[in-house]
Amino acid sequence: TILEHVVQEVEQELETILEHVVQEVEQELETILNQVKLVEKELKTILKLVEQELKTILNQEHEVEQDQEIGQKHKKIQEHEILQEQETEQKRKTAQMMEMTVIQILA
């Protein structure tokens, strides 16, 4: 019958349209997936760069801390040397005074 024929043609046309739409959606999804993969690669690259930068910063901070420790040790050594020189000078003055006292007593 004509109705059955029309229904069959409409079903075929709808099936064709559906197949076309499914193909377009699959292509779009594949394109989106490829873009996501590219973004993922870029993010991994950025992450590696950030990790390297953090390592560099941590190493620099460690070097600065070591330099500060060395500077503090050097300063303490200098202070100790100055104190020793002052003590030696004081002992020399005391010895001179004692020597003068002895000379005055003997004179």
Side-chain angles (χ1 to χ4, degrees):
T1 66
I2 295 180
L3 184 62
E4 290 177 338
H5 182 73
V6 169
V7 166
Q8 196 174 34
E9 282 186 14
V10 168
E11 284 179 342
Q12 285 179 353
E13 187 67 28
L14 283 173
E15 190 173 309
T16 303
I17 292 172
L18 182 63
E19 287 176 358
H20 184 74
V21 167
V22 165
Q23 284 179 354
E24 284 184 10
V25 168
E26 285 177 341
Q27 287 175 352
E28 281 296 313
L29 285 173
E30 192 169 324
T31 301
I32 291 170
L33 180 62
N34 288 335
Q35 290 173 344
V36 166
K37 287 179 180 178
L38 284 174
V39 169
E40 181 184 26
K41 284 181 181 178
E42 290 175 5
L43 287 173
K44 285 181 179 179
T45 301
I46 291 170
L47 180 61
K48 285 181 182 177
L49 291 172
V50 168
E51 287 174 345
Q52 289 174 349
E53 190 64 27
L54 285 173
K55 285 179 184 176
T56 300
I57 290 170
L58 287 174
N59 287 338
Q60 289 173 345
E61 286 179 359
H62 184 66
E63 289 173 7
V64 167
E65 288 172 0
Q66 285 181 330
D67 289 347
Q68 287 174 343
E69 288 175 9
I70 290 170
Q72 288 173 349
K73 288 178 183 177
H74 184 68
K75 185 177 178 181
K76 286 181 181 179
I77 290 170
Q78 285 180 327
E79 289 172 353
H80 183 68
E81 288 173 351
I82 290 170
L83 284 175
Q84 283 184 328
E85 288 174 9
Q86 289 173 345
E87 287 175 9
T88 302
E89 181 64 23
Q90 187 62 39
K91 288 177 183 177
R92 189 186 63 74
K93 286 181 180 177
T94 302
Q96 279 181 339
M97 289 175 64
M98 291 174 81
E99 182 182 355
M100 292 176 85
T101 304
V102 169
I103 291 172
Q104 285 177 353
I105 293 173
L106 292 176

